Amino acid sequence: MLSLFHRAQQYEEKVAIATPDGQFTYAQLLVHSAQVATLLLAGRIDLQEERVAFLVPAGFDYVVTQWGIWRSGGIAVPLCVTHPYPELAYVMAQSGATILVAHPQFAAMARSLAEGHPCRVILTSDWQASDWQADATARSIASLPNLTLDRRALILYTSGTTGKPKGVVSTHGNLEAQVTSLVSAWGWTEDDRILHVLPLHHIHGIVNVLTCALWSGALCYMLPKFDAELVWQHLCSGGITLFMAVPTIYTKLITAWEKCDRAEQERRREGCRAIRLMVSGSAALPVPILEQWQHITGHFLLERYGMTEIGMALSNPLQGDRQAGSVGKPLPQVQVRLVDEQGQAVPPGVPGEIQVQGPGVFLEYWQNPTATAKVFRDRWFCTGDLAVVEDDRYRILGRISVDIIKTGGYKVSALEIEEVLLTHPQVQECAVVGVPDPEWGERVCAALVLRSDTTVNLTHLAMNLEPSLNLETLRSWAKERIAPYKVPTRLIILESLPRNVMGKLTKPAIVQLFGYSRS
């Protein structure tokens, strides 16, 4: 991200980061990140791609830490602030981090991690984070290394839903390509102001929101955690021009809106008109959620497709027609193709695996050449996602491993069935999975969360009483809407669905709820 630091000099007097604690300019970001780089270097000339893990919550401390790692020549390894010790320890060990930067609130965790994986621990308080507003130009700043675009910059870990998390390595060039593609496609300018509520150990929060904003000279308002009422206050304030979130966040915002009286609902609706773009990603966006959000705010959410290894690959247009259930077309600098099981390109209308090529595609899985080689075919990255092109637009059918159910000789998209089930008036959330079956290969099974006004509750279920929505009534309803072989044959009702921090369903956990385990 070499150009990122040079571009920041153009916007020195502008506010770069705003938080509930204050505002910080691009000049402050440049000076303080140079200080952090100096502290990390500790007299050396270049960290030479040493891995620097950091456990820092959203805010200015996070940004200067990330920039300081990059400017010192290190590889940034952001840790999730809500993950338990075993998961953090795994990342520390697998990445081989030699330095751990932590906010004082995580000092005890940092010391525990350092005991299990010897490394140098630095607290953000070591560089007087409470005095960020003060002039720091006179403080000692080392000569920083000259970096090249082919240098490794970032390691993000996959969710690990189908195995141990893998470290996805992106170079400075990869990140720059991802950012410039999105800035062009989504019309970023220095006048933009984006509200940031996403996790900062994930590409969505790091690249799509934070780095695109700072590349553009825009303002990024960072909240320490998601709070539906606080987010609504910002969205309808008139001071936000962009908002990006995951489907679960939009669902929570819809729930909060529904609890308001009509006057407040109208105030929020009017306030959202100042926002120029709202984006949804990181998980499939159910059409009912898209439609509810459009009814509430007037915004037809822009849905896009990407993953940790490639950044963003497909997007609906900034201007022009967007279609529900579609993720649009390839972004600038990105090539996309669909292939069958033999690796041959498929025509429009025929499902195929998404393969991606371009300068934004990651370099490698950290210390895992076997896994790296496995996902590349003739320089194309094999995503493991199935899609179909309809009307010159891509529609995602799901993960080949977990969202494509092979039952009775048919290949069925779990996402397609989920979209139908979500239209049932009693269903709030659902997940469809395939579980092993000796007769059918796999059986179509559904896990449902019912709406709060539904008579089913935990006490009801514990008493073994028949719920208002059972398998028989669901099947009868579904048979009028989808082919018989797509209709679920087993059903469980839950209080909530298992999800990861980005709101993605952890379907292996759902399969286990039906008494099976996918190994």
Side-chain angles (χ1 to χ4, degrees):
M1 297 303 295
L2 316 183
S3 299
L4 180 66
F5 314 127
H6 296 307
R7 291 176 64 86
Q9 296 172 8
Q10 305 173 32
Y11 309 112
E12 285 192 340
E13 301 308 312
K14 292 195 65 195
V15 175
I17 303 296
T19 73
D21 298 323
Q23 296 186 340
F24 309 89
T25 66
Y26 280 87
Q28 289 173 304
L29 178 53
L30 285 167
V31 169
H32 291 299
S33 63
Q35 286 181 279
V36 173
T38 300
L39 182 61
L40 294 173
L41 287 166
R44 297 169 57 186
I45 297 175
D46 189 332
L47 285 188
Q48 294 289 351
E49 297 188 350
E50 281 188 36
R51 276 72 62 209
V52 182
F54 59 114
L55 192 61
V56 181
F60 192 60
D61 277 342
Y62 177 96
V63 185
V64 295
T65 300
Q66 182 194 72
W67 278 34
I69 295 168
W70 285 342
R71 298 182 77 184
S72 65
I75 302 176
V77 186
L79 302 176
C80 179
V81 295
T82 61
H83 278 180
Y85 175 86
E87 293 194 24
L88 299 178
Y90 171 81
V91 172
M92 290 290 296
Q94 206 282 330
S95 67
T98 57
I99 303 173
L100 172 59
V101 179
H103 188 275
Q105 73 184 85
F106 300 113
M109 175 67 82
R111 295 188 189 100
S112 295
L113 290 169
E115 289 176 4
H117 176 78
C119 63
R120 176 183 164 206
V121 175
I122 301 173
L123 298 182
T124 56
S125 55
D126 291 348
W127 57 72
Q128 297 181 319
S130 61
D131 193 32
W132 282 128
Q133 300 286 13
D135 179 23
T137 55
R139 298 177 185 176
S140 175
I141 294 177
S143 177
L144 302 180
N146 293 319
L147 306 177
T148 55
L149 289 175
D150 60 349
R151 291 268 297 253
R152 295 171 178 83
L154 183 68
I155 301 180
L156 299 179
Y157 278 80
T158 60
S159 58
T161 56
T162 57
K164 279 289 188 181
K166 297 186 289 291
V168 177
V169 180
S170 296
T171 66
H172 287 280
N174 294 150
L175 297 177
E176 189 165 307
Q178 293 175 16
V179 168
T180 53
S181 176
L182 292 181
V183 167
S184 171
W186 294 346
W188 280 88
T189 75
E190 63 179 285
D191 296 322
D192 276 316
R193 301 174 301 280
I194 191 165
L195 179 65
H196 197 325
V197 296
L198 295 170
L200 279 161
H201 67 289
H202 189 277
I203 198 163
H204 194 169
I206 294 173
V207 172
N208 298 20
V209 181
L210 178 62
T211 311
C212 280
L214 298 178
W215 179 276
S216 305
L219 181 150
C220 185
Y221 194 101
M222 306 179 76
L223 293 179
K225 63 179 181 179
F226 174 77
D227 177 277
E229 287 302 318
L230 187 56
V231 169
W232 266 120
Q233 289 178 29
H234 285 285
L235 291 181
C236 63
S237 68
I240 299 298
T241 65
L242 282 134
F243 183 63
M244 300 180 190
V246 299
T248 50
I249 284 180
Y250 286 111
T251 299
K252 291 177 181 178
L253 291 173
I254 290 170
T255 300
W257 184 86
E258 289 174 339
K259 293 178 180 177
C260 298
D261 60 36
R262 288 192 176 183
E264 178 61 17
Q265 288 179 345
E266 189 59 31
R267 188 184 76 85
R268 294 182 179 190
R269 188 195 310 273
E270 288 297 316
C272 285
R273 291 185 177 180
I275 301 174
R276 71 172 184 85
L277 176 63
M278 291 184 172
V279 180
S280 179
S282 293
L285 176 66
V287 173
I289 300 301
L290 182 148
E291 292 174 343
Q292 284 180 278
W293 189 255
Q294 185 178 21
H295 169 72
I296 291 171
T297 66
H299 283 269
F300 193 109
L301 291 170
L302 184 153
E303 194 171 5
R304 84 309 181 274
Y305 165 82
M307 58 194 307
T308 309
E309 288 90 341
I310 60 176
M312 300 304 108
L314 301 164
S315 173
N316 274 290
L318 175 64
Q319 305 293 337
D321 180 44
R322 301 173 196 163
Q323 290 186 0
S326 164
V327 290
K329 302 179 182 181
L331 283 158
Q333 307 179 51
V334 182
Q335 293 176 275
V336 179
R337 69 180 186 181
L338 300 183
V339 302
D340 59 22
E341 293 177 352
Q342 288 71 47
Q344 300 300 309
V346 299
V350 177
E353 182 189 16
I354 303 172
Q355 295 188 350
V356 178
Q357 193 177 84
V361 176
F362 81 124
L363 177 67
E364 63 190 353
Y365 290 121
W366 182 252
Q367 293 187 334
N368 198 337
T370 301
T372 303
K374 188 177 179 180
V375 296
F376 282 97
R377 297 289 182 275
D378 300 324
R379 301 181 66 182
W380 288 86
F381 173 71
C382 307
T383 65
D385 286 327
L386 198 69
V388 64
V389 175
E390 299 170 337
D391 297 326
D392 204 29
R393 304 164 194 259
Y394 287 77
R395 180 166 64 89
I396 307 300
L397 300 177
R399 293 294 294 172
I400 293 174
S401 58
V402 296
D403 288 320
I404 302 304
I405 303 169
K406 297 179 180 179
T407 180
Y410 293 98
K411 288 184 179 179
V412 176
S413 168
L415 301 187
E416 178 190 354
I417 301 171
E418 288 167 1
E419 284 193 5
V420 173
L421 296 184
L422 282 168
T423 65
H424 191 288
Q426 291 178 270
V427 175
Q428 178 173 311
E429 295 182 88
C430 72
V432 173
V433 296
V435 299
D437 183 84
E439 180 180 357
W440 295 93
E442 288 182 304
R443 279 190 177 271
V444 178
C445 302
L448 305 181
V449 175
L450 302 185
R451 295 191 180 279
S452 57
D453 57 354
T454 301
T455 58
V456 175
N457 53 47
L458 283 182
T459 303
H460 197 112
L461 294 174
M463 295 172 63
N464 293 318
L465 298 177
E466 184 176 323
S468 59
L469 181 64
N470 58 28
L471 180 60
E472 182 181 352
T473 57
L474 180 68
R475 282 178 57 80
S476 177
W477 176 89
K479 284 178 180 179
E480 296 179 0
R481 292 160 176 82
I482 51 178
Y485 59 86
K486 299 178 182 179
V487 175
T489 60
R490 293 187 62 190
L491 170 68
I492 55 174
I493 296 174
L494 305 172
E495 267 199 310
S496 62
L497 299 178
R499 297 179 182 273
N500 65 18
V501 293
M502 289 305 296
K504 290 185 179 180
L505 291 168
T506 51
K507 288 201 169 179
I510 295 171
V511 172
Q512 290 180 4
L513 293 176
F514 285 96
Y516 296 91
S517 176
R518 286 194 173 187
S519 57

